Amino acid sequence: MRANALASKISNRLLQDIVAGNVALGSHISAQQLADRYGVSRTPIREALEALEVQSVLIRRPNRGYFVADEIPASAQAALAQEGESEADDYQVLAADWLRNELPEEVTEQFLRQKYNWTKAHVGELLVRATREGWAERKEGYGWRFLPVAKTPEAFDEIYRFRMAIEPAAMLEPSFELNHKVLEEQRRIQENMLEMEISKAPGETLLSNGALFHEELIKLSGNPFFLMALQRVNRMRRLMEYRAEVNRDRLIEQCTEHLEILSLLERGNTVDASFRMRQHLSGALKRKSPLAWTWAADSHLTAAED
């Protein structure tokens, strides 16, 4: 990807993180932290910061660096939403075809370009996003490989039942230790999601914030195997979540339940928090499972018609 294209991509991702509340309004922005966060050098980071300064998303203060503005201009948010629509639609097409087993496990960029009539740059961007979300990887040498995901409603249900077994249990581990900075940060993110216009937020951001909440809490168990297991199944369920979570109003209830769990932990009531976590996951399974089964049935019907 060309340097200016990469800088543009990074500026969009940073703006998305700011709008989603992952980066707080008024906070200081470190070029090195962003380089580490996005896995790039500092050169495109500097270009991205300059671009966001022009949009009044960032403010540069002499001898102090860049800071997020206290209010993000509506024009910047509108431009982000408009630019993301096309990529989001194409990304969903690629993801849906993989879920329906209409793509081989190993592909080349040329194959995808010919199949979908996409440009080389666009294919590269979509594959990078799929890699970031954990269901694609670049092969050694040449080509790409799509990774195993939860493609069936049975697997979707099994993942939630597995999470119901490990996440509440992790809170009861002898090594579980509260970290109030972690709790404060997760509270800020969840409260910001309630304040933002969820209906306009990118689905990737909403799912990432939800996964982050659960992974940060299970990390407090001090047992790395809990965290590794949860990260693995979160990656595997992500594509089905895009299909199952069709009603974004549900996210308001989800955030509220997350805040209830945080409140219990902040008061030191880990046993009650563990029980509330199991209720939360059980409720999510009951609401999402029928949607996953409906999507699967519709997919089979579409495939038969094709």
Side-chain angles (χ1 to χ4, degrees), residues 260-272:
E260 291 175 3
I261 294 170
L262 289 173
S263 294
L264 290 169
L265 289 173
E266 288 163 349
R267 294 197 295 268
N269 297 335
T270 54
V271 173
D272 291 341

Side-chain angles (χ1 to χ4, degrees), residues 84-153:
E85 285 179 0
S86 175
E87 179 179 330
D89 291 343
D90 290 344
Y91 181 78
Q92 293 303 325
V93 168
L94 183 66
D97 284 351
W98 175 234
L99 285 172
R100 290 195 294 255
N101 297 313
E102 294 180 6
L103 289 172
E105 180 180 335
E106 297 184 355
V107 299
T108 64
E109 292 185 21
Q110 182 64 27
F111 169 83
L112 296 177
R113 288 173 61 190
Q114 292 176 344
K115 179 177 177 63
Y116 298 107
N117 195 29
W118 291 335
T119 66
K120 181 178 180 180
H122 192 52
V123 168
E125 290 171 356
L126 296 178
L127 288 171
V128 167
R129 177 174 172 182
T131 300
R132 189 168 71 245
E133 296 197 3
W135 60 279
E137 66 179 9
R138 188 185 294 274
K139 293 174 55 182
E140 291 186 12
Y142 185 70
W144 294 77
R145 178 183 296 108
F146 292 128
L147 303 176
V149 296
K151 293 186 176 184
T152 66

Side-chain angles (χ1 to χ4, degrees), residues 205-225:
T205 299
L206 298 175
L207 288 176
S208 294
N209 283 350
L212 178 65
F213 171 83
H214 288 273
E215 289 172 8
E216 286 296 297
L217 292 194
I218 208 169
K219 193 185 298 183
L220 299 179
S221 70
N223 185 330
F225 296 102

Side-chain angles (χ1 to χ4, degrees), residues 188 190-198:
R188 184 187 65 77
Q190 297 300 312
E191 288 178 344
N192 187 79
M193 288 179 67
L194 288 176
E195 293 171 3
M196 69 189 290
E197 195 167 353
I198 288 180

